[in-house]
Amino acid sequence: MTHISNTEQFRIWNGADGHHWADHHARYDTMASGYDEHLFEAAALSEHSRVLDIGCGTGQTTRTAARRAHRGHAVGLDLSEPMLARARQIAASEKLTNIGFEQGDAQVHPFTADRFDTVISRAGVMFFADPVAAFTNIATAMKPGGRIVFTCHREPGDTVSEIFAALAEYVPIPEFSDLDPGVTNFADPDQVRDVLTTAGFAAVTATGFECLTILGRDRRDATDFLFTAHLRSLVAGADTTALRKAKDAVEATLRPHETDLVRIPARGWLYSAERI
């Protein structure tokens, strides 16, 4: 039985958004891959690690963990059955045998106590309805002294701000701080320290980083994908003329970043803590 507390996120990730991520998993993973170096360097997995990947999506980070912990085990947890189905399919095609995927809400999932020595997440912990309850529950799955390492988004840098400003010329959009909670949660390190400390973690660290993210083959390809992916909810309902002008404006902001591919700077936070 799947225990669900965050019913709204469950609805979203088992609907159109979840299917879009599952269908375009390679594209999304490529865009997020700049976070991986920071995540796995901090996680410092051993060949015997037992790893829990929160918000694993289609399982790229879970598979990386399983390969590094080849004498251990990696489990990916996510709300989205479409994404988990893709994750299982890819793991099977890669013949990974020390890996598993479970559908569940980390806030209330009935974890086996003291099962994992490491918890990781690549931008997958920002969607909890009650973050303290979620991390308290995650802690029950960890061995005492176990480490949790995760990445989250920071406030946008200049390039991302330019994209939103270009879009806003033709489509009304909210400020960054007013975007959907999953996008902006945990951009404040003080908030994260309070959440993790209250949930039973110590030695909390927050490290800002910047990396390059690949948006597409060229500026037209990148713009088209952004409008069907990350910007889709913002442009829903826009009339045809406004949408065309918004696309042209966003495409123009990407011109300086177009070489062999379109790469733009992305900013993130790397958080780590230890279970008491």
Side-chain angles (χ1 to χ4, degrees), residues 57-195:
T58 55
Q60 185 188 50
T61 46
T62 321
R63 298 193 304 276
T64 299
R67 285 190 289 267
R68 296 192 177 199
H70 58 92
R71 296 181 184 275
H73 195 71
V75 174
L77 182 76
D78 203 280
L79 286 170
S80 175
E81 186 54 40
M83 296 170 76
L84 289 171
R86 184 70 68 190
R88 295 184 185 103
Q89 178 189 54
I90 299 171
S93 71
E94 295 180 359
K95 296 181 170 56
L96 291 170
T97 58
N98 64 329
I99 195 169
F101 295 97
E102 300 175 9
Q103 185 182 26
D105 180 347
Q107 184 171 317
V108 293
H109 190 69
F111 292 113
T112 301
D114 302 340
R115 181 180 178 188
F116 301 100
D117 51 64
T118 309
V119 174
I120 63 172
S121 180
R122 185 181 69 188
V125 297
M126 305 102 71
F127 303 93
F128 299 131
D130 185 337
V132 170
F135 281 101
T136 300
N137 192 45
I138 291 168
T140 67
M142 302 172 65
K143 297 176 181 178
R147 298 187 67 242
I148 184 169
V149 179
F150 58 92
T151 59
C152 293
H153 304 305
R154 289 168 67 188
E155 291 83 355
D158 291 344
T159 303
V160 174
S161 295
E162 290 169 4
I163 291 172
F164 277 96
L167 182 67
E169 290 183 28
Y170 303 100
V171 178
I173 63 171
E175 297 293 328
F176 177 79
S177 59
D178 296 325
L179 292 174
D180 293 339
V183 177
T184 59
N185 275 4
F186 291 5
D188 179 359
D190 290 335
Q191 174 205 2
V192 177
R193 290 188 187 96
D194 289 344
V195 168

Side-chain angles (χ1 to χ4, degrees), residues 214-244:
I214 298 173
L215 294 187
R217 298 185 302 274
D218 52 45
R219 60 185 183 273
R220 173 59 59 86
D221 174 62
T223 300
D224 286 344
F225 188 74
L226 284 174
F227 273 70
T228 63
H230 297 77
L231 303 179
R232 177 173 54 185
S233 64
L234 300 179
V235 300
D239 65 62
T240 303
T241 300
L243 191 61
R244 177 180 54 78

